[in-house]
């Protein structure tokens, strides 16, 4: 045997015969010739798994612990550890390391934990030819040897029975262990999935919490903005009320003037009636705007009390603001129409009156005199053909190319151009009528 670098793993614990049947030694001779190498043959049972630090030692019969070995050799691991059929293994002991006496020895398989897994029958180292050896044995020694052999046989039978029982127990334990391992793997898999699910749920909850915090901050900011916006709308409504009062006062003034003209023209009377109806509609619209303003204030208070319904009520406030803006635009359009109608009426009356050629009334011709009940006089009385027609220069509107007399161009151009342009009700900026979308975007910017 080659010189070993390290000592084998041993144990000081007394031997336990219950493990001796896991390794079976084969072809063990009763006598080995001294001075020659010995080959030890052994078979591993299917319930035993060899390991790298297992070893086979030669022990003197009567040993008590695995530290009492005489010599040893490391075992060689089988090529196929998963094979169920037992295969014979071997290890060779060099003659140099073998015992020199004639005591009884036996092979023992010891695993890397220092536990004996198998033991062979006893053998001796003596010459093969017994005639050359003088053996002196007393009767007492023979009886002792026979008694020892009987004890070993009984012990061997007990070991075999114990081995069968242990193999059965080992198989049962192995099956239970395999079942428990499968259950453990299943539980590990379930535990891993649960941990992953808990981690994902935790991440999801953290993300939702951050989103809720951000939404709460956004809602608070939007609530503050809505409060500022409501204040702005209230200021705008106050301004609109003042403008409406001015418009109503202007309409009343126009109505008084139109009352003086209705006796002269039935068409003017109808126009005045329509203006009064429009005025009533404007007053109703103002009342509706006040009611909507009150509703918006109530909804703003509800938004302050109920944070969880903030999104829905903010949408309602936006809708109310849009309605107010549309009502405002509609009122502005109606006011513009009133201005246009008044301007048209004034232009119509001024043009008819001024465009007719007048002749100074003669005190003694025809005895004609003006009707004192007319403010501007009867435009159809005292009309005579002019001895020479007056040629008026004509100018055209730069937008619609309409004709205007030179003497009325500057007076009526401004009133005529109003339908062709759109004026911002806030900053009085004018936009061409064809750029209506740009005008609406501009007005919307003031509301933001």
């Amino acid at each position: 045997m080659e010189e070993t670098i390290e000592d084998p793993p041993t144990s000081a614990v007394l031997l336990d015969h219950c493990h001796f049947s896991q390794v079976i030694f084969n072809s063990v001779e009763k006598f080995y010739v001294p001075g020659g190498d010995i080959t030890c043959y052994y078979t591993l049972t299917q319930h035993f798994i060899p390991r790298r630090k297992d070893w086979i030692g030669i022990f003197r019969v009567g040993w008590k612990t695995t530290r009492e070995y005489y010599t040893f050799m490391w075992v060689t691991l089988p090529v196929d550890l998963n094979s169920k059929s037992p295969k014979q293994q071997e290890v060779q002991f060099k003659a140099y390391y073998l015992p020199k006496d004639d005591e009884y020895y036996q092979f023992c398989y010891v695993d890397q934990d220092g536990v004996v897994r198998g033991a062979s029958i006893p053998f001796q180292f003596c010459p093969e030819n017994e005639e050359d050896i003088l053996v002196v044995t007393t009767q007492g020694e023979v009886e002792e040897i026979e008694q020892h052999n009987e004890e070993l046989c009984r012990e061997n039978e007990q070991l075999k029975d114990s081995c069968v029982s242990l193999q059965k127990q080992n198989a049962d334990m192995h099956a239970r262990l395999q079942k428990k391992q499968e259950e453990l793997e299943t539980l590990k898999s379930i535990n891993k999935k649960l941990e992953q699910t808990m981690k994902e749920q935790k991440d999801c909850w953290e993300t939702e919490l951050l989103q809720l915090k951000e939404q709460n901050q956004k809602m608070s900011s939007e609530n503050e903005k809505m409060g500022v916006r409501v204040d702005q709308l209230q200021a705008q409504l106050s301004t609109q009320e003042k403008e409406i009062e001015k418009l109503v006062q202007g309409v009343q003034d126009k109505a008084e003037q139109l009352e003086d003209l209705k006796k002269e023209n039935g068409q003017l009377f109808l126009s005045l009636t329509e203006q009064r109806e429009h005025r009533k509609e404007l007053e109703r619209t103002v009342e509706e705007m006040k009611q909507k303003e009150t509703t918006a204030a109530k909804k703003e208070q509800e938004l302050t009390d109920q944070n969880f319904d903030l999104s829905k009520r903010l949408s309602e406030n936006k809708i109310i603001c849009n309605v107010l803006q549309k009502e405002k635009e509609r009122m502005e359009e109606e006011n513009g129409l009133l201005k246009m109608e008044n301007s048209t009426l004034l232009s119509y009356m001024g043009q008819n009156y001024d465009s007719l050629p007048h002749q100074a009334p003669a005190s003694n011709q025809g005895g004609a005199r003006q009707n004192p009940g007319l403010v501007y006089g009867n435009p159809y009385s005292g009309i005579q053909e002019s001895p020479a027609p007056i040629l008026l220069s004509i100018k055209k509107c730069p937008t619609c190319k309409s004709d205007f007399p030179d003497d009325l161009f500057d007076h009526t151009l401004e009133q005529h151009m109003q339908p062709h342009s759109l004026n911002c009700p806030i900053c009085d900026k004018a936009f061409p009528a064809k750029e209506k979308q740009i005008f609406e975007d501009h007005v919307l910017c003031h509301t933001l």
Side-chain angles (χ1 to χ4, degrees), residues 382-397:
I383 297 177
Q384 295 182 0
E385 293 184 359
S386 177
I390 300 174
L391 297 177
L392 300 176
S393 60
I394 303 301
K395 292 187 177 181
K396 294 182 177 292
C397 174

Side-chain angles (χ1 to χ4, degrees), residues 320-345:
I320 291 171
C321 290
N322 292 331
V323 171
L324 291 175
Q325 184 64 31
K326 291 180 180 180
E327 290 292 337
K328 173 187 170 185
E329 293 176 359
R330 188 173 66 82
M331 284 168 37
E332 290 174 355
E333 292 177 359
E334 290 178 355
N335 291 335
L337 291 175
L338 287 175
K339 289 180 180 180
M340 290 169 56
E341 290 175 358
N342 292 335
S343 299
T344 302
L345 291 174

Side-chain angles (χ1 to χ4, degrees), residues 268-285:
L268 296 177
F269 175 78
L270 297 175
S271 299
L272 181 60
T273 304
E274 292 177 357
Q275 287 182 357
R276 288 178 176 175
E277 293 177 355
H278 286 304
R279 184 185 65 183
K280 292 180 180 179
E281 291 179 358
L282 289 174
E283 292 175 351
R284 288 194 298 270
T285 303

